[in-house]
Amino acid sequence: MNGTYLRYELLRTVRNKRAFVFSLAFPLVFFYLIAGGQRHQLLAGIPFPTYYLAGMVSFGTMAAMISTGAKIAAEREFGWNRQLRLTPLSTRSYMRAKVLTGYLTAMVTVVLLFAAGSSLGVHLTAKGVLQMTGLVIVGLIPFAALGILVGHLFTPDSMGPVIGGGVSILAFLGGAWGPVGGTSGVLHNVSQATPTFWLVAASRTLVGAPGWDAKGWIIVAIWTVVIGALAAWAFRRDTERV
């Protein structure tokens, strides 16, 4: 790992206040708008803010990871990535720095949502927070690869619709907004086959839901391998064009 480049990426992420704050604002705004008006309601026997907090954690962290693609696309547009290839910086260090900055934004999102949840009466336990955070970190791996993939496939001008539309569709299919497809049927099966479903399941350990079973670990692993292979292909294709 190149510590200098990683430090530069982290500082650049935090100093880009407009993008940093904007990416954090969406899940908070959604949480307060929807959960705030239903703070005294129950959903599946659970206080609505507590239930909805888990969905917003999955939505916000997923968006943070995929948004790393916007940085990659911008660097490709201006030729910065070509300049970096002329330096001793390795490809692994470059990718790791991008992924870690995504995780930084994701974890800040989690902390802010926890604070927002507490302001609406959500009871947080140390065990629930630690269990959820650990599973979410693992569940975000395929989305880190997805961010690298879209960053090497699309231009900066198209990243807004790609990320916004893609995150919204994935959030819906995974059940971040609420249960999808009931307990059986095609839509239910499709939902369970997405990595988002298991990211949402990881988030809901915060409210006492069980962790992943073997199926969850297998699906997340498959998506990680598949998207990771596609991201590597997109990177090689982009490199060969230079």
Side-chain angles (χ1 to χ4, degrees), residues 39-62:
R39 60 187 304 174
H40 302 300
Q41 304 297 317
L42 296 178
L43 182 61
I46 300 171
F48 188 85
T50 304
Y51 187 94
Y52 198 66
L53 176 63
M56 286 301 95
V57 166
S58 59
F59 170 74
T61 55
M62 174 177 59

Side-chain angles (χ1 to χ4, degrees), residues 13-42:
T13 299
V14 175
R15 287 174 177 172
N16 188 356
K17 293 181 175 62
R18 181 179 299 177
F20 191 62
V21 172
F22 195 66
S23 65
L24 299 175
F26 268 106
L28 286 173
V29 169
F30 279 133
F31 179 72
Y32 275 118
L33 283 177
I34 298 176
Q38 304 182 67
R39 60 187 304 174
H40 302 300
Q41 304 297 317
L42 296 178

Side-chain angles (χ1 to χ4, degrees), residues 2-234:
N2 188 302
T4 301
Y5 181 71
L6 175 59
R7 185 168 62 252
Y8 161 78
E9 278 295 302
L10 293 173
L11 288 173
R12 188 171 71 140
T13 299
V14 175
R15 287 174 177 172
N16 188 356
K17 293 181 175 62
R18 181 179 299 177
F20 191 62
V21 172
F22 195 66
S23 65
L24 299 175
F26 268 106
L28 286 173
V29 169
F30 279 133
F31 179 72
Y32 275 118
L33 283 177
I34 298 176
Q38 304 182 67
R39 60 187 304 174
H40 302 300
Q41 304 297 317
L42 296 178
L43 182 61
I46 300 171
F48 188 85
T50 304
Y51 187 94
Y52 198 66
L53 176 63
M56 286 301 95
V57 166
S58 59
F59 170 74
T61 55
M62 174 177 59
M65 296 305 294
I66 298 177
S67 293
T68 59
K71 296 180 183 179
I72 295 174
E75 291 177 357
R76 289 174 54 239
E77 181 80 5
F78 294 107
W80 178 238
N81 60 339
R82 291 194 295 271
Q83 295 297 319
L84 289 175
R85 291 184 194 124
L86 301 177
T87 71
L89 181 71
S90 68
T91 300
R92 287 186 178 181
S93 294
Y94 173 82
M95 293 302 179
R96 285 172 182 168
K98 291 291 185 289
V99 170
L100 287 175
T101 55
Y103 269 110
L104 168 67
T105 307
M107 291 302 103
V108 173
T109 299
V110 170
V111 171
L112 291 176
L113 282 169
F114 283 168
S118 296
S119 72
L120 293 184
V122 176
H123 177 64
L124 302 174
T125 66
K127 179 181 178 181
V129 169
L130 291 174
Q131 183 178 11
M132 186 221 72
T133 303
L135 272 181
V136 164
I137 288 173
V138 177
L140 287 174
I141 296 175
F143 298 102
L146 183 57
I148 295 172
L149 174 62
V150 298
H152 284 95
L153 290 181
F154 299 96
T155 65
D157 291 337
S158 62
M159 288 304 294
V162 168
I163 294 176
V167 168
S168 297
I169 292 171
L170 287 169
F172 167 74
L173 288 176
W177 314 119
V180 176
T183 58
S184 62
V186 175
L187 188 56
H188 173 77
N189 294 332
V190 170
S191 176
Q192 288 205 341
T194 66
T196 325
F197 178 90
W198 298 101
L199 180 62
V200 172
S203 300
R204 288 186 177 147
T205 58
L206 183 67
V207 297
W212 297 342
D213 56 16
K215 180 180 179 180
W217 288 99
I218 291 171
I219 289 177
V220 170
I222 289 173
W223 277 104
T224 299
V225 171
V226 171
I227 301 178
L230 290 173
W233 163 79

